[in-house]
Amino acid sequence: MTLSKCPGMSCQIFFFAVVISQSEEMRTLSLSGHVGFDSLPDQLVSKSVCQGFSFNILCVGETGIGKSTLMNTLFNTTFENEEASHFQNGVHLRPRTYSLQESNVDLQLTIVDTVGFGDQVNKEESYKPIVDYIDAQFENFLEEELKIKRSLYNYHDSRIHICLYFIAPTGHSLKSLDLVTMKKLDSKVNIIPIIAKADTISKSELQKFKIKIMSELVSNGVQIYQFPTDDEAVAEINSSMNAHLPFAVIGSSEEVQIGNKMVRARQYPWGVVQVENESHCDFVKLREMLIRVNMLDLREQTHARHYELYRRCKLEEMGFKDTDPDSEPFSLQETYVAKRREFIGELQLKEEQMRQMFVNKVKETEAELKEKERELHERFEMLKRSHQEEKRNLEEKRRDLEEEMNTFNRRKVAAETLQSLQAFSLLPFFPFQPLRLQSVPISGSHRL
């Protein structure tokens, strides 16, 4: 009997071969000639360059602390910017996306500004719009991943890769708003704290301020981004830069002539502060660590750490899990069916509750309508009785008035008759001669 005529035996032999292959260790072989798969990194680089890159920066800080100026200085350009007032009702996030090109590399840069942060009297919930915005970007990416027809290749990734938290150069300690906000954001985004406008504080005070900031972050359990040291190529520089956190930076888009060259600097009556002079500020360190050395790691940390944490929590809320309590593989289909059945059961229960609630509400409404109808009927009967009573009173008054009018008319007729009779009985039998009165003069002898 051949294997082609016995599918069951072929399946058993295939399964046995798979088990043997899985149990054996991976063997390393040497090539006797050039094959060509060493060009994979070049293919990957070519594909990545063709596709382009995206990088999203979240700038958190008070109004007027220099966020926009630092962004213009970092990327050596001038971004569109609208000056924000200090009279915002709340915190609003304003994202702006730009297309940048350097050599043959395209970068889609998104800068998100926190407008109105720290301007309110009650700053208790100033961090909530920022947290909601970061979660919304994670939710959009998760929805795209869960689609049947996904387009992640050309999907605009709006997840925040780095949060530059601007600290006011007070020289004392962090504000409560800074600690609360960074504590709420450290599990959702990579945070790099920076001291803005570092030229307003002396070097000795600046060093003490840095130590104070780091001690407060550690004591409050705030996890900031640490530059990776697992790669030998950048381990040394990253480990040294971790000791310089937080960076004290200065931003300026103005060019000042120093000797024979033009440099970006801030000019004061007492001197010039150069932006790219490492003895003046840490701007060059920030640019090196953020853009030239660790930009890819920031993108990977966002996806592998922060987004995966959000995705795991979201799927656990939906009822999905990798293993059951017995540590056995859990079927996604079974989970979906069980969750769907549970959801349908909850939906039916809520529907029944709503139906019962609707029936009770209808009964209550009917009872109220009946009570209103009874009250209206009683009121109608009362008004009807009152109307009948008034009608009877009016009828009685009308009859009384008619009797009085009849009595008055009879008396009037009797009086007229009596008057006519009296006038007829007093008439003489001779013609009536009206008396004429003549005036008689009175003489003096007749006076009294």
Side-chain angles (χ1 to χ4, degrees):
M1 182 180 296
T2 60
L3 293 178
S4 61
K5 297 181 180 179
C6 183
M9 183 178 295
S10 63
C11 293
Q12 291 178 359
I13 294 175
F14 175 76
F15 177 75
F16 181 71
V18 170
V19 171
I20 292 178
S21 63
Q22 291 179 353
S23 62
E24 292 180 352
E25 296 182 357
M26 186 179 297
R27 296 176 295 178
T28 303
L29 301 177
S30 60
L31 304 179
S32 58
H34 182 263
V35 177
F37 57 80
D38 58 349
S39 64
L40 275 175
D42 298 331
Q43 297 176 30
L44 181 61
V45 169
S46 177
K47 183 178 180 181
S48 300
V49 169
C50 180
Q51 184 178 358
F53 302 91
S54 64
F55 193 63
N56 306 320
I57 303 176
L58 172 65
C59 298
V60 181
E62 300 175 358
T63 304
I65 203 169
K67 301 186 293 295
S68 302
T69 304
L70 183 63
M71 290 298 102
N72 294 339
T73 311
L74 269 177
F75 292 94
N76 199 15
T77 185
T78 302
F79 298 109
E80 298 177 1
N81 183 37
E82 296 178 3
E83 294 185 1
S85 65
H86 291 271
F87 304 100
Q88 300 290 334
N89 296 328
V91 180
H92 308 283
L93 275 80
R94 184 174 59 193
R96 295 180 182 272
T97 303
Y98 308 94
S99 295
L100 306 179
Q101 186 176 14
E102 189 175 27
S103 298
N104 62 336
V105 178
D106 295 328
L107 178 67
Q108 196 171 22
L109 176 67
T110 300
I111 300 176
V112 184
D113 188 13
T114 53
V115 181
F117 181 78
D119 291 339
Q120 293 75 34
V121 176
N122 184 8
K123 304 178 179 63
E124 184 178 358
E125 298 183 353
S126 297
Y127 65 90
K128 283 190 175 181
I130 305 175
V131 174
D132 294 341
Y133 180 84
I134 297 174
D135 288 342
Q137 311 317 308
F138 286 155
E139 182 67 23
N140 294 336
F141 193 85
L142 179 61
E143 289 180 357
E144 185 65 27
E145 274 192 335
L146 296 178
K147 287 182 179 180
I148 297 176
K149 293 183 178 180
R150 300 184 298 179
S151 57
L152 294 177
Y153 178 79
N154 56 357
Y155 174 76
H156 174 56
D157 188 4
S158 59
R159 295 174 296 177
I160 300 299
H161 299 126
I162 182 63
C163 170
L164 296 179
Y165 196 93
F166 289 72
I167 301 173
T170 59
H172 300 289
S173 61
L174 289 173
K175 300 178 182 179
S176 300
L177 176 63
D178 300 331
L179 289 172
V180 171
T181 304
M182 282 192 278
K183 184 62 178 177
K184 294 293 183 180
L185 296 178
D186 62 355
S187 62
K188 298 179 178 295
V189 68
N190 303 312
I191 300 177
I192 295 181
I194 58 177
I195 302 173
K197 298 183 178 180
D199 53 342
T200 61
I201 186 172
S202 65
K203 284 189 176 182
S204 59
E205 292 178 349
L206 182 60
Q207 190 62 31
K208 294 178 182 179
F209 191 35
K210 285 186 175 184
I211 297 173
K212 182 68 173 177
I213 289 173
M214 293 305 297
S215 63
E216 289 184 352
L217 293 177
V218 172
S219 61
N220 288 275
V222 179
Q223 301 292 329
I224 63 174
Y225 175 73
Q226 295 290 322
F227 303 116
T229 57
D230 50 355
D231 188 358
E232 296 180 357
V234 295
E236 184 178 356
I237 185 173
N238 280 347
S239 60
S240 63
M241 289 298 106
N242 284 329
H244 285 83
L245 291 174
F247 293 132
V249 298
I250 301 170
S252 176
S253 57
E254 299 179 358
E255 291 187 350
V256 179
Q257 185 173 0
I258 304 295
N260 296 326
K261 61 179 181 178
M262 302 294 292
V263 297
R264 286 182 295 178
R266 302 186 72 89
Q267 189 169 11
Y268 296 98
W270 46 263
V272 177
V273 179
Q274 300 179 32
V275 173
E276 299 185 27
N277 190 336
E278 294 192 38
S279 62
H280 291 180
C281 68
D282 298 332
F283 172 79
V284 175
K285 297 182 178 66
L286 175 64
R287 184 182 61 190
E288 291 287 330
M289 292 296 99
L290 181 64
I291 300 176
R292 300 183 180 180
V293 179
N294 298 301
M295 180 180 284
L296 181 61
D297 183 74
L298 289 168
R299 288 164 47 88
E300 292 177 350
Q301 284 289 328
T302 300
H303 181 79
R305 180 186 171 192
H306 302 294
Y307 170 70
E308 286 298 325
L309 177 61
Y310 176 85
R311 177 179 173 273
R312 184 184 67 188
C313 295
K314 199 70 174 180
L315 293 179
E316 287 178 353
E317 290 179 3
M318 297 170 62
F320 295 99
K321 54 184 179 180
D322 293 333
T323 58
D324 61 4
D326 297 332
S327 299
E328 295 180 359
F330 198 85
S331 173
L332 182 63
Q333 180 67 22
E334 293 178 358
T335 303
Y336 171 76
V337 173
K339 199 66 182 177
R340 183 174 183 274
R341 190 181 300 112
E342 180 183 354
F343 175 75
I344 292 176
E346 293 178 357
L347 185 62
Q348 291 177 352
L349 179 61
K350 289 182 180 180
E351 184 179 357
E352 184 63 28
Q353 291 176 354
M354 292 183 64
R355 185 182 294 108
Q356 188 64 31
M357 187 184 302
F358 178 75
V359 172
N360 295 335
K361 194 68 176 178
V362 169
K363 290 182 179 179
E364 292 177 0
T365 305
E366 289 181 351
E368 292 178 359
L369 290 175
K370 288 182 180 180
E371 182 67 21
K372 294 292 184 181
E373 184 180 2
R374 185 183 62 80
E375 292 178 358
L376 288 174
H377 185 71
E378 291 180 355
R379 186 177 179 184
F380 174 75
E381 292 294 332
M382 183 178 65
L383 291 175
K384 185 178 179 181
R385 290 193 297 269
S386 175
H387 175 71
Q388 292 177 353
E389 184 69 24
E390 291 180 358
K391 185 176 180 180
R392 285 195 297 269
N393 295 333
L394 290 175
E395 288 292 335
E396 292 179 357
K397 289 182 180 180
R398 187 178 64 81
R399 287 194 297 269
D400 294 341
L401 288 175
E402 288 180 352
E403 291 180 358
E404 290 179 1
M405 289 179 63
N406 293 333
T407 304
F408 176 77
N409 291 331
R410 287 196 297 269
R411 289 180 179 178
K412 181 179 178 181
V413 171
E416 290 177 351
T417 305
L418 181 60
Q419 288 179 359
S420 61
L421 290 175
Q422 289 178 355
F424 181 75
S425 60
L426 292 177
L427 287 176
F429 293 101
F430 50 86
F432 179 74
Q433 296 290 333
L435 296 177
R436 295 181 179 177
L437 297 179
Q438 296 181 353
S439 60
V440 179
I442 299 175
S443 61
S445 61
H446 293 87
R447 293 180 180 176
L448 294 178

